[in-house]
Amino acid sequence: MTEESEHPDLAGLQRRLAEFAAARDWQPYHTPKNLVAALSVEASELVEIFQWLTPEESADVMADPETAHRVRDEVADVLAYLLQLCEVLGVDPLAVLAAKIDRNERRFPVPGDSGEPGGSRESAEPGEAGE
């Protein structure tokens, strides 16, 4: 393992993904449409691992080494395509995530903090990333 593999940073990972694709002349295929489609496929493969598990089984999924390996691989695939999509579109993933969290904190206030009992009416959707 390289030092970069042991302690990766987002920009370094995006660079490695771009270099990997460039070395194989894959850039013509890395259009936003194709990357979004591939991201969807990989996310579906992650869903497939959990599809028929009970909530309790899903919470323990990392206890089984084979399943844990599959989960890590699919998470890596999802993240790889998401980072490549961000690179192609010129989106800073950390900046947009921070902005989204800021919006959601305003949109879904902590119950009692907004002056309204239970927060806003939108707070009825716990766990939602927001739209």
Side-chain angles (χ1 to χ4, degrees), residues 24-43:
R24 291 153 181 82
D25 296 322
W26 288 353
Q27 305 99 315
Y29 308 105
H30 285 194
T31 64
K33 179 191 86 57
N34 289 349
L35 291 169
V36 167
L39 175 60
S40 176
V41 168
E42 296 301 339

Side-chain angles (χ1 to χ4, degrees), residues 22-120:
R24 291 153 181 82
D25 296 322
W26 288 353
Q27 305 99 315
Y29 308 105
H30 285 194
T31 64
K33 179 191 86 57
N34 289 349
L35 291 169
V36 167
L39 175 60
S40 176
V41 168
E42 296 301 339
S44 294
E45 290 178 6
L46 183 59
V47 169
E48 183 180 28
I49 296 168
F50 293 87
Q51 185 172 9
W52 302 114
L53 300 180
T54 66
E56 296 78 19
E57 289 169 335
S58 70
D60 292 334
V61 74
M62 299 306 282
D64 175 60
E66 183 179 322
T67 305
H69 176 76
R70 290 177 54 215
V71 168
R72 285 191 296 272
D73 272 357
E74 296 308 333
V75 166
D77 289 341
V78 168
L79 185 56
Y81 280 115
L82 182 59
L83 291 177
Q84 290 174 89
L85 177 66
C86 289
E87 181 73 20
V88 166
L89 295 176
V91 171
D92 178 338
L94 295 180
V96 297
L97 178 57
K100 183 66 171 190
I101 292 169
D102 289 345
R103 285 194 308 275
N104 283 343
E105 287 173 340
R106 289 189 302 275
R107 185 174 173 204
F108 303 103
V110 174
D113 283 0
S114 66
E116 299 175 30
S120 72

